[in-house]
Amino acid sequence: MTELESGFRVADVIGLVRRRSAIILGSAVVGLVLGYLVFASAPPKYSATSRVQVKTLIQNPLDPGPKDTQKLDVGTEQDLVKSDAVGDAVRAKLDLDGDNRALFRSLIVSAKEDSLVLELTVESGSAKMAQAKANAIAEAYLAERQRQAAERRDKAIARIDQQRQDANAALTEANSAYAAAQPNTPERSAAQSAVQDAQQRLADLNESRSVWVNVDTEDVGELVRRAALPSAVLSKMALAKGVGVFGLCVLAGFAVALVVDRRDSLGGGRRRVQQLVPDANIRILPTAGSRKASPAEIDAAIDRLAVDLVSGGTRGRAASVLVVGTRVEPPLALAEELASSLTFAGIPALFVLAGSSDRDVRQAQVVTSFTDLITGPSITGPASLPAEAGAVSTAAPTVTWLRPRGSAESSGLLRRAVVEALITRAGREGFEAVVFVAATPTLNAAGAALGQWVSKTSVVVEDDDGAAVEATVEALQHADVRISEVVWT
C-alpha cells in the first residue's frame, strides 16, 4: 500500500509527480491550450471613463454667511448619477433599448477621498459605445443638476413675485390712507410711515428678485475630461476562466496519475520493471498488498519463494542465488524468513551476507577472509564445514550464515575465484544452495559483481519507491546481470 493511501506527505506527492510526470505534464499542456482558447474566445471588454467636477448648489444667494457652508454629499451625487432622469435622457439620446437598470449595470461611479471629481466608468463590448455612454451619462448628469438649480431659482423668483404683489397692494392701500388723512394730523403721520414701510418692503423684494434672476444655474459642475475612445482591456472574468480551466486540467491530470499509480503496484515500479526486464518473474507477496493478509498466507508465500529460489540445487552441486535489495542495507528480514523456510523444508543452504547491516544475524559465523576459508586450514568455518580444509565432515549440513568481519571487498568476497570456490565447496559439503544477500548496487559493488557469478538473481523491493527499484534494476542490467525475479515485499 502506498503512503498516499494511508496518509499525506509532501514527499509522497513529489514522488508521484516524478513517477507520473508525463501524465501531469500532458495535462498541463492541454490545460494551457484549453485555457488560452477560453480566454481568447471571450468577447473583448472596453472601459471608458469621463470625469465630472461637482460644485455646490447655491441654496440662498441672499444669505450673508459663507457660501460654502453646505458640504457636498458625494454619496448623494453618486446616486443622482444613476437616477431615472439621467437614465431616461441617456437612453433617449443614444436610442438604447431596455431600462435604466440595464443601462447602469455596466456603470461604476467612484470618487477619491476629499475630492469633488466623480469618475464615471462604463464597460462595454464596443469601444464606441463605451465612450458614448460615458460621455452621455456625464452630460445628462450635469444637465439634471442644472435643471434642479434652475427649478430652485424659478421657485424662488415665483415666491418673491407673489410677495411683491402683496407689497404693491399694501403700498397702494397705504397711499390711499395717506391721501385721505388731514395734513398735520397724527393720522397723516401714521399713514406716511406706513407708505415708507411698504416702499421699503417692495424695494427689498425687488432687490431679492434681481439677485435670484442673476444666479448662474449652469455653474453646478463641469465636464473636466471627456471619455476618449478606449482600447481593449484585460477581462478579469475571461482570465479567471482561463486560469480555472488550466487548474482543472492539472487537477484532472493529477487524479489520473494517482489512479494509474495506485493501479500499478507499489508506487509505479512494477510497470517500469516489466518494461526493463520483460523475462523476469514478478512476484507480489501478500504483505505488499493493500489488504491484511493472514500469517498463514504470508508463510506460504515465503515458503514458495524460498523453494523457487534454490530450485535446481542438489547435493554436490549447489545452486547459487543472489538476493539484492533496493536500500542501503541488504534485505536481511526477508533473507531470515527464507532461511527459516528452508530449514523447515529440510533444504541445506548457506547464506552469505555480502555487506554490512545493523541487524543482528543470529548464529552467523564471522569470516575475516573468505580466501582463507576456502584454502587455509587454520580458519574455522560454519558448523557444517570442517575445521580444516580437506577433512571429512561428519555433521549433517544445516542452514548456516556467514558474514564478513569488515566489508565484502576487504574480506575478498568480491573475487570471482573465491565466490566460485565457495559455491563448489558448499556443494561438496552437502549444501544445496548458496544465497548471497547484498544491498542495492547503486551504492556498492557487491550486488553487481556477485550477480555476474551466480546462476539466479532476485531483486527484493522493500518499499514503494519506484525510482529506487528502477535504479537497482538498471544498475544490474548495466553490469550484465540477468534478473530472474523481482519480489515486492
Side-chain angles (χ1 to χ4, degrees):
M1 181 172 67
T2 64
E3 292 180 351
L4 280 176
E5 297 177 6
S6 59
F8 173 80
R9 294 192 309 177
V10 176
D12 298 329
V13 178
I14 295 177
L16 174 64
V17 172
R18 290 177 178 175
R19 293 190 298 269
R20 302 301 174 188
S21 58
I23 297 177
I24 297 177
L25 182 60
S27 65
V29 172
V30 173
L32 283 175
V33 174
L34 293 180
Y36 174 76
L37 292 177
V38 170
F39 174 76
S41 61
K45 289 291 185 181
Y46 298 91
S47 177
T49 301
S50 60
R51 291 173 172 81
V52 178
Q53 181 183 4
V54 184
K55 297 181 181 180
T56 304
L57 289 176
I58 298 178
Q59 298 295 322
N60 186 3
L62 303 176
D63 188 356
K67 301 303 180 183
D68 56 351
T69 54
Q70 182 191 14
K71 186 175 180 180
L72 184 67
D73 189 350
V74 177
T76 302
E77 299 302 321
Q78 291 176 334
D79 292 337
L80 179 60
V81 173
K82 296 184 179 182
S83 64
D84 288 337
V86 175
D88 293 340
V90 172
R91 290 193 298 108
K93 180 178 181 179
L94 300 180
D95 193 18
L96 300 177
D97 297 330
D99 54 7
N100 294 332
R101 186 185 299 273
L103 171 65
F104 294 131
R105 188 175 295 122
S106 60
L107 172 65
I108 299 176
V109 184
S110 60
K112 297 180 180 179
E113 187 177 0
D114 298 331
S115 174
L116 298 181
V117 176
L118 299 181
E119 296 183 354
L120 312 180
T121 302
V122 176
E123 289 188 356
S124 176
S126 169
K128 292 184 178 180
M129 182 56 67
Q131 180 190 27
K133 283 185 178 181
N135 290 330
I137 292 174
E139 293 170 356
Y141 164 66
L142 290 177
E144 176 61 19
R145 295 194 90 239
Q146 292 172 2
R147 186 196 65 78
Q148 292 180 357
E151 183 180 7
R152 183 177 293 116
R153 181 199 61 185
D154 294 342
K155 287 183 178 181
I157 292 175
R159 185 174 61 254
I160 292 174
D161 287 342
Q162 182 62 42
Q163 293 173 354
R164 289 176 66 246
Q165 290 179 7
D166 296 339
N168 282 323
L171 179 59
T172 301
E173 184 179 354
N175 286 329
S176 299
Y178 178 80
Q182 295 295 324
N184 300 323
T185 61
E187 290 80 4
R188 192 176 183 93
S189 297
Q192 184 178 5
S193 178
V195 169
Q196 291 176 352
D197 292 340
Q199 290 176 343
Q200 184 62 44
R201 172 63 176 167
L202 183 59
D204 292 341
L205 291 174
N206 289 334
E207 183 179 0
S208 298
R209 189 179 190 282
S210 176
V211 172
W212 274 107
V213 168
N214 293 324
V215 169
D216 186 4
T217 58
E218 296 184 357
D219 191 23
V220 294
E222 59 179 327
L223 185 58
V224 295
R225 179 180 298 178
R226 299 181 62 86
L229 188 65
S231 56
V233 296
L234 180 64
S235 175
K236 295 182 180 180
M237 181 62 70
L239 181 61
K241 289 181 179 179
V243 173
V245 170
F246 171 76
L248 289 176
C249 290
V250 173
L251 288 178
F254 188 85
V256 172
L258 183 60
V259 171
V260 172
D261 200 65
R262 287 185 174 181
R263 292 181 61 185
D264 195 1
S265 294
L266 299 181
R270 179 183 175 188
R271 180 170 299 179
R272 179 59 178 161
V273 167
Q274 288 176 335
Q275 296 175 351
L276 293 174
V277 283
D279 296 333
N281 179 43
I282 304 298
R283 188 187 298 261
I284 309 295
L285 297 184
T287 52
S290 58
R291 63 184 182 88
K292 293 183 179 180
S294 64
E297 291 177 314
I298 298 175
D299 292 340
I302 294 178
D303 291 342
R304 289 194 300 270
L305 174 62
V307 173
D308 290 344
L309 286 179
V310 301
S311 62
T314 59
R315 290 182 178 271
R317 184 173 174 270
S320 56
V321 180
L322 170 64
V323 177
V324 59
T326 58
R327 294 179 177 176
V328 67
E329 290 191 2
L332 281 179
L334 179 62
E336 289 181 332
E337 295 287 345
L338 296 175
S340 299
S341 296
L342 294 178
T343 301
F344 181 77
I347 301 176
L350 177 64
F351 282 77
V352 181
L353 178 59
S356 59
S357 174
D358 295 333
R359 188 183 181 93
D360 184 23
V361 182
R362 293 174 295 178
Q363 299 179 351
Q365 302 292 325
V366 179
V367 179
T368 303
S369 172
F370 281 88
T371 302
D372 294 339
L373 174 66
I374 300 302
T375 61
S378 60
I379 300 298
T380 301
S384 60
L385 293 180
E388 297 182 1
V392 179
S393 175
T394 58
T398 59
V399 173
T400 306
W401 279 87
L402 297 180
R403 67 180 304 172
R405 181 177 299 277
S407 63
E409 293 85 350
S410 63
S411 65
L413 185 59
L414 299 191
R415 295 174 56 189
R416 181 170 185 173
V418 173
V419 173
E420 293 177 347
L422 178 62
I423 296 173
T424 301
R425 184 176 182 186
R428 188 172 62 246
E429 297 299 332
F431 290 102
E432 295 184 14
V434 179
V435 181
F436 296 92
V437 185
T440 174
T442 60
L443 301 177
N444 57 65
L450 293 172
Q452 303 177 61
W453 308 326
V454 298
S455 58
K456 187 180 297 185
T457 298
S458 176
V459 177
V460 177
V461 182
E462 301 170 89
D463 52 30
D464 62 350
D465 188 356
V469 179
E470 296 172 17
T472 299
V473 173
E474 290 177 346
L476 293 175
Q477 282 187 316
H478 292 162
D480 295 329
V481 176
R482 182 180 177 275
I483 300 174
S484 58
E485 190 152 7
V486 182
V487 182
W488 269 266
T489 60

